[in-house]
Amino acid sequence: TTINKYGKRIDIVVAVTKLGNTIILDRYTGEPIFDYEMKIAPSSSLPGEKTCAYQPSLKLPEPFARNVFKKEDVTNLSASSKKYILSIIEKSNYGFFVPYEINKDTIQYGDNGGAQWTGASVDPYNNILYVTANNIPWIIGIKAHQNNALKFTDKKAIPLRDLEGYPGVKPPWGTLTAINLNSGKILWQTPLGHYEKLKSKGVITGTENFGGATATAGGIVFAAGTLDKLIRAFDSETGKELWSHKLPYIGSAPPSSYEVNGDQYIVIPASGGIILKLFYNDIVEQGDAVVAFKIKD
């Protein structure tokens, strides 16, 4: 796309990452549009592994998802769940690009979030990017063992869940975010999705999602992929939810917009998704549907 920066129009390429960063590069030189800091990172103690002394830390564009686990992230949904999660992190490593350690777990974001394969949607007229993301921490553990006199490592990777099966951190767990590409600032962010049990208590958390967002010229952003099976329409300027509809299965790709005889339609494949089925087997049903909606004038 093209943005307004330094008093001129600059052609750029944009990529969103699983750490919740937005990378904006000059399309012709590959140089970053926004400055970033290289911070000292811990070095690995694993035999044979060499890690970089520095890792990039981006202030702008503002991260749209959590990328460094902190103790203050721990869930506050209940005292018992908070105590349970604290007992896990007290014996684990976490922090800025902390390397893995044999026989000690590491808690990190990024395995199934922030952004996913669906990428982001850009409004090229207003230079705004819309991206769906996840804030789901994971427990990563490795252990060494001997096999035929050669040393290998076993690795585990599981979501950090509380006593009721919810993510072990404070909400939101899934989000839709609008970012001004000219300034790198977040315009708005809203939870995406809900758990019915928590919603009945007035708690809207967002859920892990693998759907993606699609912005339209009419000032509406469509997104699905949430555990509640809903496809939603949001006001592109404010993030206010305008409409929703329950799909037969969880939406599994960004909605597509098309026009026939002057009428606009939105179509979305709904299959339940493979990744959500792997980690939420008891609440995710898989199927094979394509659902289309006509937008009224």
Side-chain angles (χ1 to χ4, degrees):
T1 190
T2 304
I3 61 172
N4 301 313
K5 193 73 177 171
Y6 310 119
K8 60 182 179 180
R9 296 282 284 168
I10 301 178
D11 295 333
I12 60 166
V13 60
V14 185
V16 288
T17 79
K18 295 181 71 170
L19 279 180
N21 291 319
T22 305
I23 311 298
I24 306 179
L25 306 177
D26 184 292
R27 201 185 308 173
Y28 301 103
T29 67
E31 291 297 315
I33 299 298
F34 293 92
D35 293 333
Y36 62 92
E37 176 187 4
M38 294 297 289
K39 290 178 61 176
I40 294 178
S43 58
S44 174
S45 61
L46 294 181
E49 180 175 73
K50 183 179 180 181
T51 52
C52 293
Y54 295 86
Q55 293 286 352
S57 176
L58 281 67
K59 305 299 181 185
L60 290 175
E62 294 178 321
F64 53 84
R66 300 174 194 152
N67 49 36
V68 177
F69 183 85
K70 303 179 180 67
K71 189 174 182 178
E72 51 264 37
D73 294 351
V74 171
T75 182
N76 57 2
L77 286 183
S78 70
S80 57
S81 284
K82 181 176 182 178
K83 182 179 179 180
Y84 171 70
I85 296 298
L86 284 172
S87 70
I88 294 175
I89 70 168
E90 283 171 359
K91 54 187 178 184
S92 304
N93 292 325
Y94 54 90
F96 181 76
F97 283 95
V98 172
Y100 301 142
E101 182 180 342
I102 292 176
N103 298 324
K104 188 173 184 180
D105 290 342
T106 300
I107 300 177
Q108 65 184 38
Y109 293 112
D111 285 56
N112 275 356
Q116 296 298 320
W117 65 269
T118 51
S121 182
V122 172
D123 176 348
Y125 303 104
N126 296 307
N127 302 326
I128 298 173
L129 175 143
Y130 301 93
V131 59
T132 56
N134 297 316
N135 289 314
I136 308 295
W138 279 59
I139 304 173
I140 310 298
I142 60 170
K143 64 180 180 179
H145 67 90
Q146 300 290 331
N147 186 355
N148 296 328
L150 295 175
K151 198 167 193 178
F152 296 86
T153 58
D154 289 331
K155 181 178 177 180
K156 74 171 183 181
I158 57 174
L160 177 65
R161 300 267 176 83
D162 71 9
L163 292 171
E164 296 188 62
Y166 298 122
V169 290
K170 297 171 184 174
W173 302 322
T175 59
L176 172 65
T177 305
I179 301 174
N180 185 320
L181 294 178
N182 297 328
S183 66
K185 295 286 188 177
I186 290 177
L187 297 175
W188 52 260
Q189 184 176 87
T190 187
L192 183 62
H194 69 262
Y195 287 88
E196 197 60 47
K197 182 178 178 180
L198 296 177
K199 184 182 178 182
S200 66
K201 301 176 182 178
V203 181
I204 304 298
T205 60
T207 75
E208 190 164 4
N209 60 91
F210 291 85
T214 299
T216 69
I220 299 175
V221 182
F222 293 93
T226 50
L227 291 174
D228 54 27
K229 298 184 183 179
L230 294 180
I231 178 173
R232 293 174 166 87
F234 298 86
D235 185 301
S236 62
E237 291 186 0
T238 66
K240 179 183 178 181
E241 185 176 320
L242 304 174
W243 166 88
S244 67
H245 181 86
K246 195 161 190 175
L247 299 168
Y249 309 101
I250 296 171
S252 46
S256 296
S257 176
Y258 63 97
E259 184 179 308
V260 177
N261 298 326
D263 292 323
Q264 185 178 0
Y265 297 83
I266 297 293
V267 64
I268 184 169
S271 69
I274 296 174
I275 301 299
L276 289 176
K277 183 65 175 176
L278 286 174
F279 298 106
Y280 301 89
N281 180 59
D282 55 334
I283 61 175
V284 175
E285 182 184 4
Q286 289 185 303
D288 185 10
V290 176
V291 184
F293 303 89
K294 180 179 178 181
I295 297 180
K296 294 182 178 180
D297 294 333

